[in-house]
């Protein structure tokens, strides 16, 4: 499951575009840079984007099989 990005909180800094799995890219919409999920199925659920986002706009969603202990 890909992360969820709250575009109301996002300030368009582009830090999450550093995703090592190439999930997140930036695009420009109406003169504003916003992140989008280009390859949502490639997410490793590493949490780096959530941790690095300066405004806590990203939520990681774990698939059910990762939550079973
Ligand atoms: S959780 Fe990790 S792999 Fe998934 S989008 Fe964020 S940085 Fe990329
Ligand atoms: S790191 Fe956070 S604030 Fe920066 S572009 Fe990504 S979602 Fe937006």
């Amino acid at each position: 499951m890909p992360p969820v990005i709250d575009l109301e909180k996002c300030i368009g800094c582009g830090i999450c575009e550093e995703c090592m799995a190439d999930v997140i890219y930036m695009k420009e919409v109406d003169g504003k840079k916003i992140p989008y999920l280009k390859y949502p199925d490639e997410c490793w659920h590493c949490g780096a984007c959530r941790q690095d986002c300066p405004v806590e706009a990203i939520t990681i969603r774990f698939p059910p099989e990762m939550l079973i202990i």
Side-chain angles (χ1 to χ4, degrees), residues 1-3 22-24 37-45 61:
M1 293 176 130
D22 266 353
V23 175
I24 304 174
L37 304 169
K38 188 169 184 179
Y39 301 110
D41 295 337
E42 301 299 318
C43 179
W44 300 336
H45 311 97
R61 293 186 301 166

Side-chain angles (χ1 to χ4, degrees), residues 4-7 9-17 24 26 33-35 49-50 52-58:
V4 175
I5 302 175
D6 183 343
L7 294 179
K9 289 185 181 177
C10 175
I11 57 172
C13 70
I15 291 174
C16 57
E17 195 179 29
I24 304 174
M26 299 298 288
K33 286 195 169 184
I34 61 168
C49 55
R50 185 193 67 82
D52 292 345
C53 176
V55 293
E56 299 183 353
I58 301 178

